[in-house]
């Protein structure tokens, strides 16, 4: 039997919903920034969060290339391959007597691995590591072809290609498929260690 219009049924959920909605509204009023999502890009335009996500089709200052174009440039012998996939972090909570070895890193044969230079913001030490290795790899020739990659849907290579072009290198090629596309094409990978620090 329904409740009379002038009374409220004990099972009526509307008062509870109103209280929850009011509590949420008061929380937002107390901290209006709490509802704002974290920014994905810093003021310089580099991606600073959610690095594994669909990427755009191009990078400012760089040409986008596919697997066949990368193969052709490698065959011509005039391109430097730069892998920027981050180094795996050490697991949290290891005991004093526990040892951890990072898994082997595999990339396109002939590549130089510069881990962590694709983050949105670099420490002075990491920026210098990138600068010195670029000078070493190009012999100071800013027109040398540089192919920058990591894996598919990885903003690290997008950031790094943009950063290298902004440093004055004029022949930067971005390979967004990276090792994912290379391996999918049946092409070999080889184990690599990070490039040395000067």
């Amino acid at each position: 039997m329904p409740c009379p219009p002038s009374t409220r049924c004990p099972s009526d959920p509307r008062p509870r919903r109103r209280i929850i909605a009011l509590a949420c509204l008061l929380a937002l009023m107390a901290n209006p920034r709490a509802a704002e999502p974290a920014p994905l890009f810093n003021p310089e335009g580099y991606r600073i969060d959610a690095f594994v996500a669909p990427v755009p089709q191009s990078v400012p200052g760089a040409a986008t290339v596919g697997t066949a174009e990368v193969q052709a440039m490698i065959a011509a012998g005039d391109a430097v391959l730069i892998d920027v996939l981050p180094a795996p972090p050490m697991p949290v909570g290891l005991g004093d007597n526990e040892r951890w070895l990072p898994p082997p890193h595999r990339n396109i044969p002939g590549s130089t691995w510069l881990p962590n230079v694709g983050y949105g913001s670099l420490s002075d030490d990491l920026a210098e590591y990138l600068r010195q290795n670029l000078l070493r790899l190009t012999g100071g020739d800013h027109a040398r072809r540089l192919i920058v990659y990591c894996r598919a849907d990885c903003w690290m290579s997008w950031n790094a290609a943009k950063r290298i072009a902004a440093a004055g290198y004029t022949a930067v090629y971005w390979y967004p498929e990276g090792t994912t596309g290379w391996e999918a094409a049946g092409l070999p990978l080889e184990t690599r260690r990070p490039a040395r620090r000067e």
Side-chain angles (χ1 to χ4, degrees), residues 154-192:
C154 176
W155 281 86
M156 294 286 178
S157 61
W158 189 94
N159 279 343
K162 175 179 163 67
R163 181 172 284 122
I164 292 168
Y169 290 87
T170 59
V172 180
Y173 295 86
W174 178 48
Y175 179 34
E177 297 169 53
T179 52
T180 310
W182 190 262
E183 199 168 20
L187 298 166
L189 298 174
E190 64 183 22
T191 302
R192 182 90 48 219

Side-chain angles (χ1 to χ4, degrees), residues 19 24 36 61 93-94 96 105 124 130 153 165 169-170 172 182 187:
I19 291 170
C24 290
E36 294 178 13
L94 283 181
D96 292 340
H105 180 75
D124 291 344
L130 174 61
D153 293 329
Y169 290 87
T170 59
V172 180
W182 190 262
L187 298 166

Side-chain angles (χ1 to χ4, degrees), residues 1 11-12 15 22 33 52 57 59 62 67 77 98-99 103 106 114 116 120 127 138 172 180 186:
M1 177 176 176
S11 61
D12 186 351
L22 181 61
R33 292 189 174 269
V52 179
Q57 294 182 351
V59 175
T67 303
E98 293 180 282
R99 290 189 167 186
R106 296 175 57 75
L114 301 179
N116 306 330
T138 63
V172 180
T180 310

Side-chain angles (χ1 to χ4, degrees), residues 37-42 48-49:
L40 291 177
F41 296 88
N42 66 15
I48 57 172
D49 196 15

Side-chain angles (χ1 to χ4, degrees), residues 75-94:
D78 65 347
V80 175
L81 291 144
I82 300 174
D83 174 9
V84 299
L85 191 74
M90 184 178 294
V92 177
L94 283 181

